Amino acid sequence: MKKILIGLGILLLCVGSFIFLKKPEQTEGLPVPTPTITQPPKTGFRITSPVYAEGGYIPAQYTCDGENISPPLEIHDIPEKTMSLVLIIDDIDTPKGTWVHWMLWNILPESPVIAPGTTPPGTVVGKNGFGKFAYGGPCPQTGLHRYMATVYALDTFLSIPPESDKETLVRNMNTHVLGKATLMGLYKK
């Protein structure tokens, strides 16, 4: 009986070694799998919309194909000591780089819900890529584009003019960020 058990043990060791020493599968030349879009956490600093989920399609109503009004957005679990919020919505898939659709700063943390087509009271509206001090909805010429709604919690208010571009805004808030959250929406003409 002892010899049988020893023989089985040796056999299992050989089979196990064979499994672990097996040559890895070839992956060169195979297509890269598409990453899975994950839902944002249910807690913690985040931005959501009741009209589209993370990785979902933005309804046409909020684009140049519809009413071209800003979508409703909700900011959750704002970090403690936040004095103001910044919101930037941009298209990250344009041929010339990022295209800014909406920039808001000095949003009061007491205004965590942005209703459709509105700007929270006291908020500074920056100049978008269309050259307007307003929201400009998704309007890609061709193909599928990703639109990032990014909210930043700051420990201060910003004293920059509305004519400031995105780089100026980011440079001025850079050392004051307490938290950052994003919501990615899709749109295709």
Side-chain angles (χ1 to χ4, degrees):
M1 182 71 167
K2 191 175 184 181
K3 288 182 182 181
I4 293 174
L5 289 175
I6 292 172
L8 283 173
I10 292 171
L11 179 65
L12 287 173
L13 281 173
C14 291
V15 170
S17 297
F18 175 76
I19 290 171
F20 289 114
L21 295 175
K22 190 172 95 170
K23 187 177 175 183
E25 295 179 26
Q26 292 294 99
T27 57
E28 191 173 313
L30 295 177
V32 177
T34 305
T36 305
I37 297 173
T38 58
Q39 292 299 317
K42 299 292 182 199
T43 60
F45 185 49
R46 64 195 189 285
I47 181 170
T48 62
S49 176
V51 297
Y52 68 97
E54 171 70 22
Y57 281 86
I58 299 168
Q61 172 183 1
Y62 307 103
T63 73
C64 69
D65 293 324
E67 295 177 46
N68 205 21
I69 61 171
S70 59
L73 297 169
E74 299 172 359
I75 303 165
H76 308 272
D77 298 325
I78 297 169
E80 286 184 40
K81 300 185 181 177
T82 297
M83 294 191 65
S84 71
L85 300 166
V86 171
L87 174 68
I88 301 171
I89 297 181
D90 47 18
D91 178 350
I92 61 172
D93 292 318
T94 64
K96 295 182 180 179
T98 302
W99 183 266
V100 177
H101 286 265
W102 205 22
M103 289 195 313
L104 304 176
W105 59 89
N106 292 344
I107 304 169
L108 296 174
E110 296 81 27
S111 303
V113 175
I114 302 173
T118 68
T119 301
T123 299
V124 178
V125 181
K127 192 174 185 180
N128 65 25
F130 302 105
K132 298 182 178 181
F133 297 92
Y135 171 82
C139 199
Q141 293 179 357
T142 59
L144 180 66
H145 286 238
R146 292 171 294 165
Y147 296 86
M148 302 299 292
T150 308
V151 64
Y152 301 88
L154 305 185
D155 64 2
T156 190
F157 287 92
L158 298 175
S159 297
I160 58 174
E163 298 80 21
S164 301
D165 60 12
K166 181 180 173 184
E167 290 74 27
T168 302
L169 173 60
V170 170
R171 187 173 56 251
N172 277 272
M173 71 177 183
N174 200 26
T175 60
H176 299 283
V177 177
L178 300 172
K180 173 185 171 182
T182 60
L183 172 65
M184 190 267 290
L186 303 172
Y187 194 69
K188 182 177 182 180
K189 270 242 187 228

